Amino acid sequence: MKILLCTNGSSHTVQALDLGTRVARAAASSVDILAMVERDREEEVHRLAEAAAGDLKAAGIPVTILRRTGRMAEEVVRQAQAAPYDLVIIGSRGRRGVVRLLLGSVALHVTKHAPASVLVVKGHARDLRQFVVCSSAGPVSEHTVRFAGRLARALGASVTLLHVMSQLPLAKDAVPDDLEASAEELIQRGSREGVHLSQMLDLLAMEGVATRAVARHGLVRDEIIAEAQEGRYDLVVTGAHVTPGLNARLVDNLSADILLAANRPVLMVRWRERRALNAGGDC
Amino acid sequence: MRSQQGKQVRWKKPGLGLSGLLLFALSLELMKQGAGGLAPLLRGHLAVTNAADSMGFGWLMAYLILSGSPVAAAGVALLSAGALSPLQAFTMVAGSRLGACLIVLLVGFIYTLRGHERRTALTAGVLSLLLTGSVQLVALPMGVLILSRGWLDGLSIPGLDGLAAGVNRGLEPLIGPLAAFLPGWALFVAGVGLVMLSFRLFGRSLPQMRLERTDFGQVPRLVYRPEVMFLMGLAITLVTMSVSISVGILVPLSARGYMRRENIIPYILGANISTLADTLVAAALLRDPRAVTVVATHMVCAAIVSLLVILLAYRPYERAISDALTWITRRRRNFAFFLGVIFVIPVVLILL
């Protein structure tokens, strides 16, 4: 796995560099460290990048330090487009409301424009031992689950597959049983969601990852955040917003909402083959 | 032979639509002619003397005939005949929208009695009422303010004015003898009956709408942007003129009859605005600028409130509606309480 770590010396990017180094030690085949050099932090950024590089080299991983100046969001995207990274790791300050509206979000910009999957480090970033992976029972989910499974195997983490059913029964002859069923019941019944969950559990089991499935009922956004908090997960994994064409304007970008609302690291897995997909977010 | 059948099919829907329009115009004129004689009955026996009364009256009338649009049309006809003030007509139209949700609820209730699952049968009706009620809570005082300040006075729909004049001239020879022969209340009742028939004809004249192969084919599965679903509900209901028909167009998209709540909430919010398009046409056909103002005020207020919700407070609103829906449909007792509330409120309004 080729990983790009990014820092500009600010506290949240230092945290991202720290967690990113630990992830890279377990999962990377090569690492580039993008050091954003700012006038007042030049020495500090240099020291941080060198320390991380030394750490990774000691683990036998080839490392290159790339020094850049300018706006961090644009430079990260430019670098992510320049080489075939599997994963970009950045920090997020966690701005909210008007401040975010005025100053923007580096993490959002990167997740929107970088062609690779992005791990956004925010909140209290512990070792990544428990993942919650959002699954939409759509075609993109398989890629998301595979990617999360590979990372979980490398880190020795367990995975909880989460599927949220926000549907309401509107047809007179609709059978609403699935809308309150647990993951086990969905799997037993062989419903569309159950078949998908079962397949994804098998896929993770083949990676040698400890797994379980959870189904929640309610608004997708709220239920994912609630599960992430109640389950004390270390990482929320979701598929990136990859809908092409007109659908990109029509479909809601749930992944971005989850990224903004979560108070812990979020991994947005991007499907790199830009086929004519019809899926918006993976949850 | 086959081409003759094809021609018949080709002309059937426009024919039904045109017949519906003529019948609609006739029913409005009958209601207007008959409404004058109803004023003493409304003010005396039914005690419809203020805006709260007329709202309760419109609400209960919609319950009684299981439809909102004929009651809204009756409201503007009563205004046009001087039996109601603009404010009373406004609240009667609002009441008719709230009462209109009962048909969906009642059908669901009958299905429940026949052994269907409670949540399946009742969800659409409860959701419609929650959305309409929550919007009306803010739209009503806003509309009262707009009407009292006269900000939308003097509105007219240019194209329809001429058409209305022509249609009414054509109907005069029919209405004159009927008005001479029947008492006022009978003319009004006949008008309400014919307006219901005209909506049936409109319904049968609608083109088949299929969304499966469009960009909205994934509505049951994907979560669309609320503003997109809002505009979709607005546009589709502008054609169908009925919220329940518009929701019915979405249902076949899912084999299991499921729809994501994130999509259906803004869809119904949009549909609630354009469902009054037929009442706006009714107001124009009556050639009464006050009637047009009343209906337009209702639509503008509902649009402003819905847009403010969508743009500024959608997430908490969506959460509150979703939670309320879950609570109401979870237990029989909760649903009975909800049913009690929606029957008691219009009665209380009439007693005020």
Side-chain angles (χ1 to χ4, degrees):
Chain A
M1 192 180 274
K2 188 173 173 63
I3 295 179
L4 175 66
L5 301 179
C6 313
T7 186
N8 66 357
S10 57
S11 60
H12 62 283
T13 66
V14 171
Q15 195 183 19
L17 189 64
D18 179 45
L19 183 71
T21 307
R22 279 181 275 158
V23 170
R25 264 204 310 257
S29 55
S30 72
V31 173
D32 287 349
I33 299 175
L34 185 74
M36 292 300 301
V37 182
E38 292 173 9
R39 236 179 260 163
D40 55 336
R41 288 203 197 120
E42 196 172 341
E43 271 183 36
E44 194 188 344
V45 171
H46 184 69
R47 184 181 56 76
L48 285 166
E50 288 294 343
D55 205 358
L56 291 165
K57 277 176 186 164
I61 298 164
V63 184
T64 309
I65 297 177
L66 310 161
R67 290 184 177 79
R68 297 277 192 278
T69 54
R71 292 165 66 94
M72 186 163 183
E74 285 154 22
E75 288 304 318
V76 173
V77 170
R78 194 167 295 146
Q79 184 56 37
Q81 288 167 341
Y85 295 104
D86 298 294
L87 183 62
V88 174
I89 302 180
I90 55 167
S92 169
R93 203 188 299 262
R95 283 180 185 134
R96 281 170 174 269
V98 181
V99 181
R100 192 184 73 232
L101 209 67
L102 293 174
L103 300 178
S105 162
V106 172
L108 266 185
H109 183 83
V110 173
T111 54
K112 195 171 174 189
H113 298 288
S117 299
V118 180
L119 169 57
V120 180
V121 180
K122 60 186 295 200
H124 181 58
R126 302 173 295 191
D127 276 342
L128 305 180
R129 296 281 177 216
Q130 286 194 73
F131 296 6
V132 57
V133 180
C134 308
S135 166
S136 69
V140 191
S141 288
E142 189 177 330
H143 180 73
T144 306
V145 172
R146 271 185 202 281
F147 192 95
R150 270 167 51 207
L151 195 63
R153 184 184 60 189
L155 293 168
S158 64
V159 169
T160 297
L161 264 181
L162 171 65
H163 182 76
V164 181
M165 297 196 72
S166 72
Q167 287 93 337
L168 297 168
L170 287 188
K172 294 286 175 287
D173 52 354
V175 180
D177 296 353
D178 291 347
L179 300 178
E180 284 192 355
S182 65
E184 291 75 23
E185 287 167 337
L186 288 171
I187 291 168
Q188 269 175 7
R189 274 188 209 139
S191 67
R192 182 174 164 270
E193 293 79 11
V195 169
H196 171 79
L197 285 173
S198 175
Q199 286 171 348
M200 295 303 106
L201 288 174
D202 289 348
L203 205 144
L204 288 166
M206 275 161 53
E207 292 279 356
V209 176
T211 58
R212 70 184 183 115
V214 170
R216 292 183 71 117
H217 309 276
L219 295 164
V220 175
R221 212 176 266 98
D222 292 358
E223 294 301 323
I224 290 170
I225 300 303
E227 177 66 23
Q229 283 168 355
E230 287 165 19
R232 298 174 181 275
Y233 298 99
D234 306 311
L235 180 68
V236 180
V237 184
T238 168
H241 190 68
V242 291
T243 314
L246 177 64
N247 254 3
R249 306 258 174 228
L250 303 179
V251 174
D252 212 354
N253 189 352
L254 292 182
S255 307
D257 288 350
I258 292 161
L259 171 63
L260 295 171
N263 60 354
R264 60 204 66 215
V266 177
L267 168 61
M268 289 174 67
V269 178
R270 185 171 292 279
W271 203 31
R272 297 178 81 167
E273 291 174 68
R274 290 183 172 273
R275 278 189 271 165
L277 267 178
N278 191 5
D282 212 13
C283 289
Chain B
M1 183 80 170
R2 189 171 286 175
S3 81
Q4 204 173 353
Q5 275 179 344
K7 266 184 191 169
Q8 277 177 356
V9 171
R10 210 176 306 144
W11 287 107
K12 193 178 169 188
K13 283 184 183 291
L16 286 170
L18 190 66
S19 312
L21 181 69
L22 289 171
L23 208 58
F24 188 54
L26 174 67
S27 61
L28 286 169
E29 204 55 38
L30 286 177
M31 280 197 283
K32 189 179 173 181
Q33 294 284 334
L38 281 184
L41 178 73
L42 275 176
R43 290 185 193 129
H45 291 83
L46 294 172
V48 179
T49 52
N50 58 38
D53 294 338
S54 51
M55 184 170 176
F57 179 67
W59 196 329
L60 288 177
M61 278 280 285
Y63 279 177
L64 202 68
I65 64 168
L66 294 175
S67 182
S69 292
V71 179
V76 290
L78 287 167
L79 165 69
S80 201
L84 291 179
S85 70
L87 189 60
Q88 285 177 309
F90 174 75
T91 55
M92 184 168 164
V93 171
S96 76
R97 294 317 319 152
L98 288 157
C101 302
L102 188 80
I103 175 66
V104 192
L105 211 54
L106 198 74
V107 169
F109 193 62
I110 292 166
Y111 270 82
T112 310
L113 293 178
R114 285 184 186 171
H116 278 65
E117 224 285 337
R118 187 174 67 248
R119 276 163 300 150
T120 306
L122 300 175
T123 296
V126 174
L127 188 62
S128 292
L129 245 167
L130 286 174
L131 293 169
T132 310
S134 58
V135 169
Q136 289 302 325
L137 218 58
V138 184
L140 258 173
M142 192 187 279
V144 170
L145 180 75
I146 290 175
L147 282 175
S148 61
R149 296 286 168 94
W151 288 335
L152 291 178
D153 283 0
L155 282 179
S156 67
I157 304 170
L160 275 177
D161 278 351
L163 176 73
V167 170
N168 288 335
R169 259 198 308 276
L171 292 173
E172 259 170 20
L174 194 62
I175 290 165
L178 278 173
F181 181 67
L182 290 171
W185 65 267
L187 279 178
F188 191 82
V189 170
V192 173
L194 285 180
V195 88
M196 290 170 78
L197 185 64
S198 72
F199 282 126
R200 264 184 189 213
L201 291 178
F202 276 135
R204 288 176 62 188
S205 73
L206 290 175
Q208 284 276 335
M209 276 198 233
R210 300 184 78 85
L211 299 172
E212 284 90 336
R213 289 171 190 275
T214 70
D215 282 303
F216 296 101
Q218 296 288 335
V219 162
R221 197 172 71 77
L222 301 180
V223 176
Y224 282 71
R225 291 176 196 271
E227 52 273 32
V228 168
M229 291 309 296
F230 175 78
L231 290 174
M232 190 180 164
L234 190 87
I236 290 181
T237 311
L238 203 58
V239 179
T240 65
M241 290 188 289
S242 155
V243 179
S244 54
I245 294 176
S246 296
V247 172
I249 286 170
L250 294 185
V251 171
L253 294 175
S254 160
R256 289 183 291 180
Y258 294 173
M259 195 61 54
R260 282 214 182 266
R261 65 188 76 195
E262 288 94 338
N263 293 336
I264 199 71
I265 291 173
Y267 184 85
I268 294 179
L269 280 177
N272 270 342
I273 298 166
S274 48
T275 191
L276 273 176
D278 53 18
T279 315
L280 193 63
V281 173
L285 287 174
L286 288 167
R287 285 169 297 153
D288 185 343
R290 292 176 311 156
V292 174
T293 298
V294 161
V295 185
T297 302
H298 197 288
M299 293 174 86
V300 165
C301 292
I304 290 173
V305 175
S306 303
L307 278 172
L308 286 176
V309 164
I310 296 270
L311 297 174
L312 301 177
Y314 185 66
R315 299 298 168 215
Y317 177 80
E318 179 188 50
R319 201 171 295 137
I321 293 289
S322 177
D323 290 348
L325 178 68
T326 306
W327 184 84
I328 292 164
T329 52
R330 185 180 293 152
R331 292 203 176 98
R332 253 176 227 277
R333 195 182 53 194
N334 298 357
F335 179 66
F337 173 76
F338 176 73
L339 216 54
V341 168
I342 63 167
F343 272 100
V344 165
I345 290 177
V347 174
V348 169
L349 284 171
I350 284 190
L351 294 175
L352 280 176

